[in-house]
Amino acid sequence: MNDRTANPRAWWFVLPVLVLVAFNALIPLMTVVNYSVQETFGDNVFFWEGLKWFEQVLNSDRFHESFLRQLAFTGMILAIEVPLGIAVALSMPRKGPWVSVCLVLMALPLLIPWNVVGAMWNIFALPDIGLLGRMINGMGIDYNFTQQPVAAWLTTVLMDVWHWTSLVVLLAYAGLCSIPDAYYQAAKIDGASAWAVFRYIQLPKMKRVLTIAILLRFMDSFMIYTEPFVLTGGGPGNTTTFLSIDLVKIALGQFDLGPAAAMSLIYFLVVLLVCWIFYTLTMRNESQ
Amino acid sequence: MGIELKKITKRVGAETYIYETDLSVEKGGFNILLGTTLSGKTTLMRLMAGLDRPSSGEIWFDGNNVTGVPVQKRSVAMVYQQFINYPNFTVFNNIASPLRVSGISPSEIKQRVEQMAELVKLTPMLQRFPSELSGGQQQRAALARALIKDAGLVLLDEPLANLDYKLREEFRDELPKLFADTGATVVYATSEPLEALMLGGKTATLHEGRVTQYGPTAESYRQPNSLLSAGVFSDPPINTAAIDKKGDVFYLTEAVNWPVPPPYARLPDARYVIGVRPHHLLVGGTTENAVKVNGIVQIAEISGSQSIIHVDVEGNSWVSESRGVHPYRVGDVVELGVNVERCFYFDINGERLLA
């Protein structure tokens, strides 16, 4: 039999996606690649530089510092938001009129734009006029996030926890709701403790959604820009200058387009690499 | 002894799930709760297990009042419609889990789990995880977990409903045998009359929160005590119609009538209800005693060598289940024979007029 699997007209169906992906991803990415290997002084004059910018970025202390800061921040975010999100999801009601109330309350922070969140927390935490700032100072604790690195970090982390724990809660809650009641009954009949129910039923059953939650929170927090930019502007000094804030400073502040482009690509590859490792590990776990 | 429900009821809010029920299930027997969805099978099971407390009444188990005793302090095992196993335990550890709680030595656990796996045909699967098993194997693992617990009461809540037809047949054969030797009192909920008949044992028919009849399965089927019991224990549903007795004759209409069968001769002249099982309503009217009625075809389904024909008989929606292929079109008039000797007769309240 003649396999007529090739039909050139099929390309027309793929074309819209190709165009979309080209304009959306490929062309901007190639522009960045273009900048990363050349020097430009404006007027569209370019000089070939090879891998010079990449070497410069990878060897610079500044990049190392913001990279470590970024890792520390993301680590803290995951360590706080994931367990906290699970805990909140576990304590939410499973049925009744309070379900929708809880869900709406949980969804609220997610609906607020990033820069608004930053501005809100900025005002909220200001030591002289902010509710939080004044309260802490009123308790006799010297707190000023615009001057103290530790306070700036605490405020940034707290802001992110406030903004994004809900996402973990909602995902974990969805996972919990998909567990048939019979599992709980079976556990009850077995005389399982609350911890055993969590460890052997709820956690394994939530594994998939938690994987998604961790991945999303990793990517978002690793690429965080707007909120710390509005809250602290990367300060005091450079103490809350995370990767993307640093990147913007180099690209738009100093107008060093070459190093900025090289840094963007390294940044992009790191995110891609971590996601890939994460994905591979979970898929391997899944198939076991 | 077994399990005894004494005047129990279950209400949730304004709704009554179980009306006052007395049921005494003997020890070691295989018992079936037969009823449609929402008839209260699961509620009754949850009460028996101790997962819920009855709103009133008492539950006794092997001579002890266990009404307020929580489920983990009773000797209960349960298998569900969904295949419930611990997702990150191997089959071995799943089956072993009830034993681990009771502190039995590892060597004995191993021996008993292997024995149990042999019994439920899971020996090659012991090192797998539940997600790597077929539905039937997952349910086997859940069954093994219930069996190994050596519980005095085993509750099976529609355990075969999520399995395909072939597996169901296999299980129906095996299940009563598996439990026969354990000495456990087994209660099995199902919505399928055929399943109840194939499993045997004793059957309690449930209708809207009431147990309408309880007795040996075959007997309950052959001798329903009321219209409700007959309705629950008939698939397709039993055909009913109002008839009038005048002297020695039952009248469905003026034209369709038949002599009153001898056992019912002494009944006073009044209105009664006739119940005709679909397989006693035959196309063409085969036997001598058959009373001929005309039906207008509403739907005709042919399943292999069976014809299931929905007809309008004198204003009643009836179903006929006949052997052979009888292709009819909607609106055709078909002559049907009612075997009036094998019909059930009820009073107008639905109580069986016992022959």
Side-chain angles (χ1 to χ4, degrees), chain A residues 54-107:
Chain A
F54 287 90
E55 282 165 24
Q56 189 185 317
V57 168
L58 286 173
N59 287 322
S60 80
D61 290 340
R62 179 175 173 178
F63 177 74
H64 295 164
E65 280 163 16
S66 24
F67 190 76
L68 283 178
R69 246 176 255 135
Q70 187 67 69
L71 281 182
F73 180 74
T74 298
M76 279 189 208
I77 291 303
L78 290 180
I80 297 171
E81 289 182 9
V82 174
L84 183 65
I86 295 172
V88 174
L90 283 172
S91 54
M92 271 167 68
R94 220 53 59 76
K95 49 190 161 196
W98 288 102
V99 171
S100 8
V101 176
C102 286
L103 287 178
V104 169
L105 280 178
M106 281 298 140

Side-chain angles (χ1 to χ4, degrees), chain B residues 62-96:
Chain B
D62 286 352
N64 303 310
N65 184 349
V66 293
T67 311
V69 180
V71 62
Q72 58 269 28
K73 296 208 175 131
R74 299 196 197 176
S75 175
V76 176
M78 198 158 175
V79 178
Y80 305 85
Q81 181 178 339
Q82 301 99 331
F83 314 132
I84 305 296
N85 292 297
Y86 292 104
N88 58 344
F89 281 4
T90 58
V91 171
F92 183 96
N93 285 330
N94 259 297
I95 300 177

Side-chain angles (χ1 to χ4, degrees), chain A residues 176-246:
Chain A
L176 282 176
C177 286
S178 70
I179 303 174
D181 202 38
Y183 275 94
Y184 296 110
Q185 277 182 44
K188 210 171 165 190
I189 289 175
D190 285 355
S193 62
W195 167 251
V197 170
F198 175 69
R199 173 70 187 79
Y200 298 114
I201 295 172
Q202 292 171 323
L203 204 55
K205 284 273 162 188
M206 280 194 291
K207 208 169 91 183
R208 277 163 192 271
V209 282
L210 285 182
T211 307
I212 305 282
I214 293 172
L215 195 62
L216 285 177
R217 281 321 296 138
F218 164 77
M219 290 200 306
D220 269 353
S221 64
F222 204 76
M223 299 187 291
I224 193 166
Y225 175 76
T226 318
E227 295 148 286
F229 177 76
V230 177
L231 182 72
T232 63
N238 272 335
T239 47
T240 56
T241 300
F242 303 118
L243 275 179
S244 51
I245 296 182
D246 204 18

Side-chain angles (χ1 to χ4, degrees), chain A residues 10-274:
Chain A
W11 285 104
W12 290 104
F13 290 98
V14 188
L15 195 67
V17 178
L18 283 181
V19 171
L20 200 72
V21 171
F23 277 96
N24 193 20
L26 281 179
I27 295 173
L29 188 66
M30 288 323 288
T31 320
V32 176
V33 171
N34 194 28
Y35 278 114
S36 73
V37 289
Q38 301 185 78
E39 170 79 284
T40 174
F41 300 107
D43 298 338
N44 267 341
V45 187
F46 288 91
F47 301 94
W48 177 256
E49 292 285 3
L51 294 176
K52 184 180 150 194
W53 302 135
F54 287 90
E55 282 165 24
Q56 189 185 317
V57 168
L58 286 173
N59 287 322
S60 80
D61 290 340
R62 179 175 173 178
F63 177 74
H64 295 164
E65 280 163 16
S66 24
F67 190 76
L68 283 178
R69 246 176 255 135
Q70 187 67 69
L71 281 182
F73 180 74
T74 298
M76 279 189 208
I77 291 303
L78 290 180
I80 297 171
E81 289 182 9
V82 174
L84 183 65
I86 295 172
V88 174
L90 283 172
S91 54
M92 271 167 68
R94 220 53 59 76
K95 49 190 161 196
W98 288 102
V99 171
S100 8
V101 176
C102 286
L103 287 178
V104 169
L105 280 178
M106 281 298 140
L108 270 182
L110 300 176
L111 299 176
I112 302 174
W114 289 262
N115 53 346
V116 177
V117 172
M120 262 168 57
W121 276 80
N122 187 311
I123 297 166
F124 183 49
L126 277 177
D128 41 1
I129 57 163
L131 181 65
L132 180 71
R134 280 206 68 154
M135 227 166 69
I136 295 175
N137 280 299
M139 288 189 293
I141 301 162
D142 182 25
Y143 164 88
N144 185 345
F145 77 94
T146 58
Q147 281 162 23
Q148 301 154 337
V150 176
W153 266 79
L154 282 177
T155 316
T156 313
V157 169
L158 193 64
M159 173 182 66
D160 197 86
V161 168
W162 177 84
H163 195 182
W164 287 110
T165 305
S166 297
L167 182 77
V168 183
V169 173
L170 292 179
L171 284 167
Y173 186 71
L176 282 176
C177 286
S178 70
I179 303 174
D181 202 38
Y183 275 94
Y184 296 110
Q185 277 182 44
K188 210 171 165 190
I189 289 175
D190 285 355
S193 62
W195 167 251
V197 170
F198 175 69
R199 173 70 187 79
Y200 298 114
I201 295 172
Q202 292 171 323
L203 204 55
K205 284 273 162 188
M206 280 194 291
K207 208 169 91 183
R208 277 163 192 271
V209 282
L210 285 182
T211 307
I212 305 282
I214 293 172
L215 195 62
L216 285 177
R217 281 321 296 138
F218 164 77
M219 290 200 306
D220 269 353
S221 64
F222 204 76
M223 299 187 291
I224 193 166
Y225 175 76
T226 318
E227 295 148 286
F229 177 76
V230 177
L231 182 72
T232 63
N238 272 335
T239 47
T240 56
T241 300
F242 303 118
L243 275 179
S244 51
I245 296 182
D246 204 18
L247 181 63
V248 172
K249 279 184 182 169
I250 295 171
L252 302 178
Q254 299 160 220
F255 220 72
D256 284 335
L257 291 181
M263 187 176 159
S264 310
L265 286 176
I266 295 165
Y267 195 178
F268 169 64
L269 288 176
V270 169
V271 173
L272 204 63
L273 184 74
V274 173

Side-chain angles (χ1 to χ4, degrees), chain B residues 60 74 119 123 140 172 183 237 265 275 304 344-345 348 350:
Chain B
W60 288 63
R74 299 196 197 176
L119 201 62
T123 306
R140 283 178 184 278
R172 278 175 193 152
F344 305 123
Y345 295 89
I348 48 165

